[in-house]
Amino acid sequence: MAKTNQLSGRFWGIVVIIGIVVVCVSGLLSFGSVFKQAAERSDNIVGFAKSQSLIYDSFNDSVAMTSQVLALENATQLARNIAYGADSVDQAGLEQMARQLGISNAFVLTADGQLVGSYSNNDVTFQMVQQEVTDDVALEVIDHTNKVYGTRIAFDDGSYIDVGCAARIDEPGIVVAGYYTSEAFSDRYLLSLQNMLAGYDVRDSGDIVVESDGLAVAANMITDQMSGEIQLDPVDAQVVQDIKARCSLGKTTLLLSGSKLYIASVDKARDYYVFTFLPVSACLGDVVGFTSVVVALYCIFVVVFALFRRRSEHEHLHELVQQEREYADRLAKSAHQAQSANRAKTEFLQRMSHDIRTPINGIRGMVEVANAYDGDLAKQRECRQKIWTASGILSELVNEVLDMSKLESGEVKLDLQPTNLVEVVEEVCQIMERQAQQLGVTISCDRSGIVHPVVMASSLHLKRLIMNIASNAVKYNKPGGAVRVTCTEHAYEGGAATYRFVIADTGIGMSSEFQERMFDPFSREQQKNAEHATGTGLGTVIAKQLAELMGGDIAYESRLGEGTTCIITLPLAIDLEASSTQLDHRAHSQATLEGLSILLAEDNDLNREIAEFVLTEAGAKVTCADDGLEALSVFEQADVGTFDLILMDIMMPNMDGYEATRAIRSLPREDAQAIPIVAMSANAFTEDQVRCREAGMDGHLAKPIDSGKLIDALAKISAAKKK
């Protein structure tokens, strides 16, 4: 619960932090949008001012030109009218002609610029225009009658007059016609800029000020002043001054003026400067509105996510509870299995203690009996035979435990070699015959169903598989019972066939309860009529794992008190080029090592003494070495051909058998490659045999050494090398 509360607090802490980030980011994005809009608005205003000023300038230039053209045309016409009436140059005549032509002023001058007559319907007098109309340029029209002269004369009050000058026709002199524009009408251009800004609302566009020559001539915040110089509010005037001082043309920036922050810009439109500024506070409404919408959406998302998370947590909690229940069930099951395994191991250790101590006790007891009957040869033979039998039982127990350890670790590797199934089945039957005879059991062998006898298989493991089952069939049989071993070939196709090995006995059988756990390690059914049988409870387990390792399976059919039938099914590749051969059962008795010189490398004194005795008895001459390094030295110092065979132990000090073999094979001697080297080691697994071949050895014999097998194997290897 505390962990859940901690996670919940952490979750809401993250939600708050993300919320703050969302508010800040949305506010910045909103303000950025407002700032961008202000910049675009400023650009639009300046662009509009530029285009409008061009239009207004063009319009006013056109108006001025039109006024001056009319003045020139009316001056020419006034000269014609004067030429048609000599007394028309007086004020009355000029007034009449001025009214007819629609001009506001008329002046008649002599050739030297003296006033002859004048008319004016306004305050403009001849003295106000005398300088311009008596200028040499203006008087040139007298000498060039086709020439006219026009100009605009501006006055201090802001009014102006457009005048045209033409030569008199009746006599030398000039005629001046004028159009007067008062101060009120002369401000139309400035009124157009002010009217242009009238469409920009201060609330939307901010404040806009247009200046010319340092004076404000238009502003959108002015509504009651339509002409003349505009007087800005002191705050606005200060903002304009700050913009001039700190802002660059054409750029929109944030400006702090007084205590307010503005979005301000300045740009130039022809002869005018356009200033725009908008208080940031006026934009906060949009920023707050946008941020509020984003926060509202975020809150909705958080609520939906929290509901979904709560639902997910509920489902996850339910899954955790379910997983805890399943885990508790598995734990209880594992504990039960562990307890069962521990009980099985305890029983195994108890049985092993009994089964191992029994043959050891027998061996030591028979030695004491033999010592007591030192002169009785018959008793000595009997004791030796019993010692041999007890040591065989002890060897079998050790082999089964080691095999099981190898299988469980996954270190067993199959060494596929051409293997004759007929020989394998016969060899198993021959080995079991002696044990069967001692128990009063008959064993028979049928291999007539084998069509292709030579297959690619691991001979050692195949024998072990069949031997384990056949040994149980003999061991758990009845006096006078029978065991039948049958091998048949099925489903031959594509260079491979399925072989079925059937081991059937008429023994004590197995109960249905035991059959359910018969493949559990260390399991062994206790029956009164099988109390004499010894074993580890690993034979069937090893057999099953070997069968599966070879790609096959194993099945049992058994009835308590009636017997058991075991069916082993194995798919094996056929060696079609190999020929079937039969075992020479007399090889052990006929084999001899007479005349062979053997180099024996063995570090154990007892094993060396036994091997030397067996080899010497078989007729061989034996030279001993205490380790691999000494064996290498002895061989290297001996003459070529001194030794016919090397019998090499594997586990030795200074230099082991593998290193010694490789060193001997690398010597620059004629016999270094040809001499047979046979391993004699307690390392009896397939991978050990493979390592021996890789090191350059010709054979492998497993300890404890059977003298007959030793002699037979050495004789065959020696004969094969000689050929």
Side-chain angles (χ1 to χ4, degrees):
M1 182 63 69
K3 185 177 181 180
T4 302
N5 293 335
Q6 184 180 3
L7 291 175
S8 179
R10 184 181 300 175
F11 168 76
W12 288 112
I14 294 174
V15 167
V16 171
I17 293 173
I18 294 177
I20 295 173
V21 173
V22 168
V23 170
C24 295
V25 171
S26 61
L28 290 174
L29 291 176
S30 177
F31 182 77
S33 176
V34 170
F35 187 86
K36 183 179 180 182
Q37 291 175 5
E40 293 176 352
R41 189 163 51 245
S42 175
D43 292 341
N44 292 335
I45 292 170
V46 173
F48 182 71
K50 287 180 179 179
S51 63
Q52 288 300 99
S53 64
L54 288 173
I55 294 173
Y56 296 154
D57 288 347
S58 298
F59 173 76
N60 285 293
D61 290 344
S62 176
V63 170
M65 182 63 69
T66 302
S67 178
Q68 291 182 17
V69 170
L70 287 175
L72 292 172
E73 289 178 351
N74 287 325
T76 303
Q77 186 62 42
L78 182 61
R80 292 193 190 102
N81 291 342
I82 292 173
Y84 294 147
D87 56 351
S88 60
V89 295
D90 59 3
Q91 184 174 358
L94 290 176
E95 180 179 359
Q96 182 180 0
M97 286 184 288
R99 290 181 180 275
Q100 290 176 352
L101 295 175
I103 58 178
S104 61
N105 299 80
F107 304 100
V108 180
L109 307 178
T110 62
D112 56 358
Q114 298 297 318
L115 180 67
V116 176
S118 68
Y119 166 77
S120 177
N121 61 6
N122 48 58
D123 296 333
V124 179
T125 63
F126 175 71
Q127 288 75 18
M128 296 171 64
V129 299
Q130 182 178 3
Q131 183 177 354
E132 282 77 8
V133 299
T134 59
D135 188 84
D136 292 342
V137 177
L139 294 177
E140 284 183 358
V141 300
I142 299 174
D143 299 328
H144 305 281
T145 56
N146 293 328
K147 186 176 180 179
V148 293
Y149 172 74
T151 186
R152 170 170 288 183
I153 303 171
F155 304 114
D156 294 338
D157 61 356
S159 62
Y160 60 86
I161 184 171
D162 291 312
V163 296
C165 301
R168 290 183 63 176
I169 299 174
D170 56 331
E171 62 181 66
I174 64 173
V175 178
V176 179
Y179 283 96
Y180 176 72
T181 303
S182 65
E183 178 187 357
F185 288 96
S186 67
D187 289 336
R188 287 188 178 183
Y189 180 71
L190 296 177
L191 289 176
S192 296
L193 286 176
Q194 182 64 45
N195 290 335
M196 174 191 73
L197 297 182
Y200 291 97
D201 190 354
V202 174
R203 291 172 297 180
D204 296 331
S205 303
D207 296 339
I208 306 171
V209 177
V210 179
E211 276 194 0
S212 177
D213 295 331
L215 300 176
V217 296
N220 68 334
M221 76 284 286
I222 305 300
T223 57
D224 57 349
Q225 186 177 354
M226 302 298 293
S227 64
E229 181 181 346
I230 295 175
Q231 296 297 325
L232 297 177
D233 179 88
V235 175
D236 293 337
Q238 183 61 44
V239 174
V240 171
Q241 293 302 318
D242 291 337
I243 292 175
K244 291 179 182 179
R246 301 183 218 165
C247 296
S248 302
L249 286 176
K251 292 185 178 181
T252 302
T253 58
L254 287 175
L255 174 71
L256 181 62
S257 179
S259 60
K260 284 188 177 182
L261 189 65
Y262 294 88
I263 301 175
S265 69
V266 59
D267 209 340
K268 189 175 182 180
R270 286 181 67 88
D271 298 329
Y272 302 95
Y273 287 91
V274 182
F275 300 89
T276 63
F277 49 96
L278 177 68
V280 172
S281 58
C283 308
L284 294 180
D286 295 336
V287 175
V288 172
F290 177 79
T291 305
S292 299
V293 172
V294 173
V295 170
L297 293 175
Y298 175 72
C299 291
I300 294 173
F301 170 78
V302 169
V303 171
V304 173
F305 181 79
L307 293 175
F308 176 77
R309 180 173 176 269
R310 184 176 180 182
R311 181 179 178 183
S312 299
E313 286 179 348
H314 180 73
E315 293 177 353
H316 181 63
L317 182 61
H318 178 72
E319 291 178 358
L320 287 178
V321 172
Q322 186 66 26
Q323 290 177 0
E324 287 180 358
R325 290 177 181 174
E326 293 177 355
Y327 177 74
D329 293 340
R330 289 197 301 270
L331 192 61
K333 185 177 180 180
S334 298
H336 178 71
Q337 291 177 348
Q339 291 174 357
S340 300
N342 287 333
R343 284 195 299 269
K345 289 182 179 180
T346 300
E347 294 174 0
F348 162 74
L349 292 175
Q350 292 173 349
R351 289 196 303 270
M352 285 296 294
S353 177
H354 172 270
D355 292 344
I356 292 177
R357 289 176 183 275
T358 298
I360 292 177
N361 183 67
I363 293 172
R364 294 175 66 87
M366 286 300 101
V367 171
E368 291 182 357
V369 171
N371 290 337
Y373 292 90
D374 188 48
D376 191 342
L377 295 179
K379 196 66 175 179
Q380 291 285 334
R381 283 193 295 270
E382 179 185 350
C383 290
R384 287 195 298 271
Q385 181 60 42
K386 290 180 179 180
I387 290 173
W388 181 261
T389 302
S391 64
I393 295 173
L394 185 60
S395 177
E396 181 183 354
L397 292 174
V398 173
N399 287 337
E400 286 189 351
V401 173
L402 293 177
D403 286 344
M404 189 63 194
S405 175
K406 279 285 186 178
L407 287 168
E408 286 183 343
S409 64
E411 297 179 3
V412 174
K413 305 297 181 183
L414 298 178
D415 181 24
L416 302 182
Q417 297 290 334
T419 303
N420 192 314
L421 294 182
V422 173
E423 295 179 355
V424 170
V425 174
E426 286 189 354
E427 185 175 348
V428 171
C429 291
Q430 290 173 1
I431 294 173
M432 297 307 302
E433 277 181 357
R434 187 172 183 179
Q435 181 183 4
Q437 290 175 359
Q438 293 176 350
L439 299 176
V441 176
T442 303
I443 185 168
S444 60
C445 180
D446 181 5
R447 60 248 183 235
S448 60
I450 301 177
V451 179
H452 302 89
V454 183
V455 297
M456 298 301 295
S458 175
S459 176
L460 177 65
H461 293 101
L462 183 58
K463 290 177 184 178
R464 187 68 174 165
L465 168 59
I466 302 173
M467 182 75 73
N468 280 11
I469 304 302
S471 176
N472 284 341
V474 173
K475 189 186 305 181
Y476 297 101
N477 216 310
K478 305 172 185 177
V483 175
R484 183 172 181 79
V485 180
T486 305
C487 181
T488 56
E489 180 180 335
H490 298 272
Y492 169 72
E493 182 179 0
T498 300
Y499 293 87
R500 184 171 296 166
F501 301 85
V502 180
I503 298 97
D505 65 68
T506 59
I508 60 176
M510 296 180 288
S511 64
S512 57
E513 293 81 3
F514 178 73
Q515 291 182 46
E516 295 178 358
R517 57 185 179 87
M518 63 180 298
F519 292 114
D520 293 341
F522 315 121
S523 61
R524 191 172 67 177
E525 187 173 26
Q526 299 294 335
Q527 296 185 28
K528 290 183 178 180
N529 53 358
E531 291 179 352
H532 66 282
T534 61
T536 61
L538 297 175
T540 55
V541 181
I542 294 172
K544 181 176 178 59
Q545 293 193 17
L546 286 175
E548 292 175 350
L549 187 64
M550 297 178 188
D553 59 20
I554 184 170
Y556 274 91
E557 295 178 2
S558 181
R559 290 186 180 181
L560 191 61
E562 297 183 9
T564 302
T565 299
C566 176
I567 303 173
I568 304 171
T569 304
L570 298 175
L572 299 172
I574 297 171
D575 186 358
L576 299 175
E577 297 181 359
S579 59
S580 177
T581 60
Q582 298 295 325
L583 287 174
D584 185 1
H585 304 301
R586 299 169 297 174
H588 296 320
S589 60
Q590 295 179 351
T592 179
L593 303 180
E594 191 68 37
L596 289 181
S597 178
I598 298 176
L599 173 59
L600 172 63
E602 172 63 67
D603 65 313
N604 185 274
D605 295 338
L606 183 59
N607 290 339
R608 185 170 61 249
E609 182 181 351
I610 294 172
E612 184 179 5
F613 170 77
V614 172
L615 297 174
T616 303
E617 287 295 311
K621 178 184 177 183
V622 181
T623 301
C624 296
D626 292 338
D627 54 46
L629 185 61
E630 184 178 346
L632 173 62
S633 177
V634 170
F635 181 80
E636 190 174 10
Q637 293 176 10
D639 295 334
V640 174
T642 299
F643 297 108
D644 300 304
L645 186 143
I646 299 176
L647 196 58
M648 184 78 71
D649 187 21
I650 299 299
M651 303 298 292
M652 294 184 294
N654 299 323
M655 180 181 288
D656 62 28
Y658 300 126
E659 296 179 31
T661 299
R662 284 190 286 266
I664 291 173
R665 294 300 189 198
S666 63
L667 291 175
R669 296 169 50 122
E670 296 179 4
D671 57 348
Q673 294 293 327
I675 188 169
I677 303 178
V678 180
M680 182 178 64
S681 173
N683 297 338
F685 296 105
T686 302
E687 52 268 34
D688 300 315
Q689 299 180 22
V690 172
R691 289 188 64 187
C692 289
R693 287 200 300 271
E694 291 175 351
M697 297 184 184
D698 299 285
H700 181 280
L701 297 174
K703 294 178 181 179
I705 297 296
D706 183 294
S707 60
K709 291 182 179 180
L710 173 63
I711 296 171
D712 183 49
L714 295 182
K716 286 183 177 180
I717 293 173
S718 178
K721 278 288 185 178
K722 289 179 179 180
K723 290 181 180 180

